[in-house]
Amino acid sequence: MIDIAVLISGGGTNLQALIDACARDDFPARIALVISNNPGVKGLERAEKAGIATTVINHRDFETREAFDDQLHEALNDCGAKLICLAGFMRILDARFVNRWRNRMINIHPSLLPSFKGLHTQERALEAGVCFSGCTVHFVNPELDDGPIITQAALAINPSETADELAARVLELEHIIYPQALRLVAEGRVRVVGNKVTISGAEYSDQKIINPVPE
Ligand code: GAR
């Protein structure tokens, strides 16, 4: 059993997926602390409802990014977390912090990385005319939305759907792969080798999807 901390900035539907997973008897992780950089967000309510300790570390209260990150680091050490899950945490962390937690911090991003790093991923996917979107769980590197990929999920895009509709469909996949990736990491099955991971005992899909569907 590994103690984790989840960092959020908002609604926390991914946090909820992790809370629900951790509630299962056979799940190898426990959430020791939820930290939000924004006060009053729904994610904090979700944690409190589940009886999980929460704290707000508001970045606006700090003069520098380093001072904010130091406070985060202290809170994470105090709660005994061995792994950080970023779940819609919308602050860039400085390289010093990321290096302290290298290979011990994972993130979920709503695109098939390395495509569409940053914000507004589904709008940009639709604008680019790509036929697939998806989401990625990866270890965090100092570069934005970068680092060894653990799991990905893909879906076919219908060009007539809106970015919000697409984002909602991707979010459903996020809620499946984040707990899956956390389980793999918590079970000690994920090894980082260079900029890639190897996962012991993982079964890989050989599924092919063509979009638009051939007539
Ligand atoms: C999710 O779609 C997550 O992938 C994204 O923010 C959303 C948070 O939703 N994260 C990023 O874009 C990080 N680069 P949630 O608060 O409901 O989990």
Side-chain angles (χ1 to χ4, degrees):
M1 179 68 71
I2 181 174
D3 276 359
I4 67 163
V6 185
L7 270 54
I8 61 167
S9 297
T13 65
N14 277 291
L15 165 66
Q16 188 67 55
L18 298 181
I19 291 173
D20 294 345
C22 288
R24 286 183 218 121
D25 284 343
D26 67 338
F27 200 80
R30 189 187 77 95
I31 304 176
L33 182 65
V34 170
I35 304 177
S36 173
N37 65 309
N38 288 324
V41 295
K42 177 88 194 288
L44 287 167
E45 255 174 57
R46 294 178 189 273
E48 279 153 22
K49 197 165 163 215
I52 297 166
T54 63
T55 185
V56 174
I57 302 178
N58 189 336
H59 61 276
R60 300 163 193 87
D61 296 340
F62 297 85
E63 282 194 4
T64 62
R65 196 176 290 279
E66 288 73 21
F68 169 72
D69 289 2
D70 281 346
Q71 185 70 47
L72 268 185
H73 187 66
E74 197 178 311
L76 291 161
N77 275 338
D78 287 352
C79 78
K82 297 287 179 281
L83 180 78
I84 302 173
C85 292
L86 305 180
F89 183 70
M90 304 311 258
R91 295 292 302 167
I92 292 174
L93 295 160
D94 81 310
R96 197 177 46 125
F97 180 92
V98 174
N99 285 326
R100 280 173 173 172
W101 289 90
R102 194 174 270 262
N103 297 344
R104 295 187 296 146
M105 175 157 57
I106 63 178
N107 179 45
I108 186 147
H109 182 73
S111 78
L112 292 172
L113 290 175
S115 293
F116 305 117
K117 297 175 177 183
L119 297 174
H120 311 300
T121 54
Q122 311 312 341
E123 284 91 331
R124 287 158 54 216
L126 286 167
E127 241 164 61
V130 294
C131 296
F132 295 93
S133 183
C135 48
T136 304
V137 180
H138 64 98
F139 285 106
V140 176
N141 269 355
E143 294 81 48
L144 180 70
D145 296 323
D146 189 70
I149 290 168
I150 304 165
T151 51
Q152 290 190 309
L155 53 67
I157 292 178
N158 180 333
S160 64
E161 68 187 320
T162 66
D164 285 347
E165 285 164 346
L166 180 55
R169 292 201 299 130
V170 170
L171 198 58
E172 276 179 42
L173 293 179
E174 295 185 38
H175 299 160
I176 297 169
I177 66 164
Y178 212 177
Q180 176 206 8
L182 172 58
R183 174 187 281 281
L184 293 170
V185 174
E187 286 175 345
R189 292 168 57 192
V190 183
R191 208 156 52 91
V192 179
V193 184
N195 60 357
K196 284 169 61 169
V197 305
T198 57
I199 305 177
S200 67
E203 196 185 314
Y204 284 88
S205 169
D206 61 0
Q207 209 174 324
K208 303 176 187 76
I209 317 175
I210 299 172
N211 196 31
V213 176
E215 288 167 8

